[in-house]
Amino acid sequence: MARVTVLFATRNGVQTLPRMLGALERLTPPSGGWKIVAVDNGSTDYSFRVLQQCAEKLPMMVVSEPRRGKNIALNTGLALVEGEIIALTDDDIILPADWLVSIEKIAAQKADFDIFGGAIYPIWGAPPPEWLLQCVPKGHLGVTEFLEGPVSPEAIWGGSMAVRTAVFREHRFGEGFDMHSETEFTRRAHSSGHLCWHFHESPVGHIIRPYQLKPKWHLQRAYRHGRADRREFYINHEDAIATYPMLKQSRWHMHHIAREGRQFIRYRLSGDFETSFKASRALRYWCGCMTEECAGLVRHLVRAPRRKLSALY
């Protein structure tokens, strides 16, 4: 039986998938053996065919999960994993040859830790513009800057991540998340006593595609980030409606939207692109929070239509 299973999902990833799979073919096998579980998440391009062709060269199982959602796909793949360690990555990650060997070694050295995250650096598909380097946190591009050692669960990212199989006996990936798919899981696991460690050995490369260098993409990402933040809060705090009344929360979000909107207009009129972009990104984030707040209110009313509306104030 394989000691390490590599698990990843892809959806219409054909632009980066061949490079990622080429790196998989060059991996040095860990001492305890390995296998790969690749999940095609309802791709409409020929990603599934690319995976099947690669499976002829690697110890890889290819499965299909038509229901959309990375976490849904990963949970499907978990049914097929083997061994003591699950190594997770993405379809736009270039892995170094010693990646699995390093994971096996760090897991053996850090017996008190169950969740591991590796260093991630950018592979630019086009030269990055100066405004992006100045205005966008590297974390928004999936690039890490954490110190080696114990870390909070938010510092473990899916591009280079390993989890002891025992953790998955208690937890699965939370479904219904557009973003934060890994950190929502690591927070829950950490809260039940599973410690996290960040390692620098064998850093992986994250392919940054040209469209990810555009302002529009980052503004949409900020909006999704806001929605994911609020959705995770309400999923993990079922008593949030009583503790944090939703309509009061909505007024708080509206305050931030108004403030960032004024900042955006001010700097846009002054012609300061970088500052106006930062304000616009903040505005989009709070709009995402507000949208999810309203969606959460609707879900609450649908689930409990007879609950007194006074609980929402």
Side-chain angles (χ1 to χ4, degrees), residues 107-118:
Q109 291 174 346
K110 305 298 178 182
D112 293 337
F113 294 82
D114 296 324
I115 304 172
F116 306 91

PDB file of all heavy atoms in Angstrom, residues 107-118:
ATOM      1  N   ALA A 107       7.203  15.209   7.886  1.00  0.00           N
ATOM      2  CA  ALA A 107       6.159  14.530   8.664  1.00  0.00           C
ATOM      3  C   ALA A 107       6.769  13.596   9.701  1.00  0.00           C
ATOM      4  O   ALA A 107       6.236  13.447  10.810  1.00  0.00           O
ATOM      5  CB  ALA A 107       5.222  13.761   7.740  1.00  0.00           C
ATOM      6  N   ALA A 108       7.896  12.984   9.353  1.00  0.00           N
ATOM      7  CA  ALA A 108       8.577  12.087  10.304  1.00  0.00           C
ATOM      8  C   ALA A 108       9.262  12.889  11.410  1.00  0.00           C
ATOM      9  O   ALA A 108       9.278  12.474  12.570  1.00  0.00           O
ATOM     10  CB  ALA A 108       9.591  11.226   9.568  1.00  0.00           C
ATOM     11  N   GLN A 109       9.805  14.059  11.066  1.00  0.00           N
ATOM     12  CA  GLN A 109      10.521  14.877  12.040  1.00  0.00           C
ATOM     13  C   GLN A 109       9.584  15.588  13.001  1.00  0.00           C
ATOM     14  O   GLN A 109       9.918  15.786  14.171  1.00  0.00           O
ATOM     15  CB  GLN A 109      11.387  15.908  11.310  1.00  0.00           C
ATOM     16  CG  GLN A 109      12.561  15.328  10.547  1.00  0.00           C
ATOM     17  CD  GLN A 109      13.297  16.379   9.736  1.00  0.00           C
ATOM     18  OE1 GLN A 109      12.800  17.495   9.521  1.00  0.00           O
ATOM     19  NE2 GLN A 109      14.492  16.036   9.285  1.00  0.00           N
ATOM     20  N   LYS A 110       8.415  15.999  12.527  1.00  0.00           N
ATOM     21  CA  LYS A 110       7.485  16.795  13.328  1.00  0.00           C
ATOM     22  C   LYS A 110       6.263  15.946  13.702  1.00  0.00           C
ATOM     23  O   LYS A 110       5.154  16.158  13.212  1.00  0.00           O
ATOM     24  CB  LYS A 110       7.056  18.048  12.555  1.00  0.00           C
ATOM     25  CG  LYS A 110       8.225  18.897  12.068  1.00  0.00           C
ATOM     26  CD  LYS A 110       9.061  19.431  13.219  1.00  0.00           C
ATOM     27  CE  LYS A 110      10.254  20.232  12.718  1.00  0.00           C
ATOM     28  NZ  LYS A 110      11.110  20.712  13.835  1.00  0.00           N
ATOM     29  N   ALA A 111       6.503  14.996  14.586  1.00  0.00           N
ATOM     30  CA  ALA A 111       5.446  14.044  14.929  1.00  0.00           C
ATOM     31  C   ALA A 111       4.273  14.699  15.648  1.00  0.00           C
ATOM     32  O   ALA A 111       3.164  14.152  15.654  1.00  0.00           O
ATOM     33  CB  ALA A 111       6.030  12.919  15.791  1.00  0.00           C
ATOM     34  N   ASP A 112       4.483  15.860  16.276  1.00  0.00           N
ATOM     35  CA  ASP A 112       3.412  16.541  17.001  1.00  0.00           C
ATOM     36  C   ASP A 112       2.511  17.356  16.086  1.00  0.00           C
ATOM     37  O   ASP A 112       1.508  17.912  16.542  1.00  0.00           O
ATOM     38  CB  ASP A 112       4.001  17.450  18.075  1.00  0.00           C
ATOM     39  CG  ASP A 112       4.694  16.673  19.190  1.00  0.00           C
ATOM     40  OD1 ASP A 112       4.351  15.486  19.371  1.00  0.00           O
ATOM     41  OD2 ASP A 112       5.570  17.239  19.854  1.00  0.00           O
ATOM     42  N   PHE A 113       2.857  17.459  14.814  1.00  0.00           N
ATOM     43  CA  PHE A 113       2.098  18.263  13.863  1.00  0.00           C
ATOM     44  C   PHE A 113       1.410  17.350  12.853  1.00  0.00           C
ATOM     45  O   PHE A 113       1.969  16.326  12.444  1.00  0.00           O
ATOM     46  CB  PHE A 113       3.019  19.262  13.154  1.00  0.00           C
ATOM     47  CG  PHE A 113       3.580  20.310  14.076  1.00  0.00           C
ATOM     48  CD1 PHE A 113       4.694  20.040  14.864  1.00  0.00           C
ATOM     49  CD2 PHE A 113       2.988  21.559  14.184  1.00  0.00           C
ATOM     50  CE1 PHE A 113       5.212  20.995  15.734  1.00  0.00           C
ATOM     51  CE2 PHE A 113       3.499  22.517  15.044  1.00  0.00           C
ATOM     52  CZ  PHE A 113       4.602  22.236  15.820  1.00  0.00           C
ATOM     53  N   ASP A 114       0.208  17.739  12.460  1.00  0.00           N
ATOM     54  CA  ASP A 114      -0.590  16.912  11.555  1.00  0.00           C
ATOM     55  C   ASP A 114      -0.866  17.557  10.209  1.00  0.00           C
ATOM     56  O   ASP A 114      -1.293  16.872   9.272  1.00  0.00           O
ATOM     57  CB  ASP A 114      -1.939  16.573  12.212  1.00  0.00           C
ATOM     58  CG  ASP A 114      -1.774  15.719  13.456  1.00  0.00           C
ATOM     59  OD1 ASP A 114      -0.865  14.866  13.468  1.00  0.00           O
ATOM     60  OD2 ASP A 114      -2.536  15.918  14.418  1.00  0.00           O
ATOM     61  N   ILE A 115      -0.676  18.873  10.106  1.00  0.00           N
ATOM     62  CA  ILE A 115      -0.981  19.600   8.875  1.00  0.00           C
ATOM     63  C   ILE A 115       0.247  20.416   8.491  1.00  0.00           C
ATOM     64  O   ILE A 115       0.801  21.150   9.317  1.00  0.00           O
ATOM     65  CB  ILE A 115      -2.202  20.520   9.060  1.00  0.00           C
ATOM     66  CG1 ILE A 115      -3.410  19.706   9.546  1.00  0.00           C
ATOM     67  CG2 ILE A 115      -2.545  21.236   7.761  1.00  0.00           C
ATOM     68  CD1 ILE A 115      -4.600  20.560   9.933  1.00  0.00           C
ATOM     69  N   PHE A 116       0.675  20.305   7.232  1.00  0.00           N
ATOM     70  CA  PHE A 116       1.905  20.935   6.789  1.00  0.00           C
ATOM     71  C   PHE A 116       1.646  21.766   5.529  1.00  0.00           C
ATOM     72  O   PHE A 116       0.911  21.337   4.639  1.00  0.00           O
ATOM     73  CB  PHE A 116       2.966  19.876   6.496  1.00  0.00           C
ATOM     74  CG  PHE A 116       3.212  18.933   7.647  1.00  0.00           C
ATOM     75  CD1 PHE A 116       2.487  17.745   7.760  1.00  0.00           C
ATOM     76  CD2 PHE A 116       4.135  19.238   8.626  1.00  0.00           C
ATOM     77  CE1 PHE A 116       2.693  16.871   8.819  1.00  0.00           C
ATOM     78  CE2 PHE A 116       4.351  18.377   9.698  1.00  0.00           C
ATOM     79  CZ  PHE A 116       3.635  17.210   9.795  1.00  0.00           C
ATOM     80  N   GLY A 117       2.260  22.932   5.481  1.00  0.00           N
ATOM     81  CA  GLY A 117       2.146  23.785   4.310  1.00  0.00           C
ATOM     82  C   GLY A 117       3.524  24.168   3.815  1.00  0.00           C
ATOM     83  O   GLY A 117       4.408  24.499   4.613  1.00  0.00           O
ATOM     84  N   GLY A 118       3.724  24.127   2.493  1.00  0.00           N
ATOM     85  CA  GLY A 118       5.023  24.437   1.917  1.00  0.00           C
ATOM     86  C   GLY A 118       5.087  25.819   1.308  1.00  0.00           C
ATOM     87  O   GLY A 118       4.064  26.468   1.071  1.00  0.00           O
TER      88      GLY A 118
END
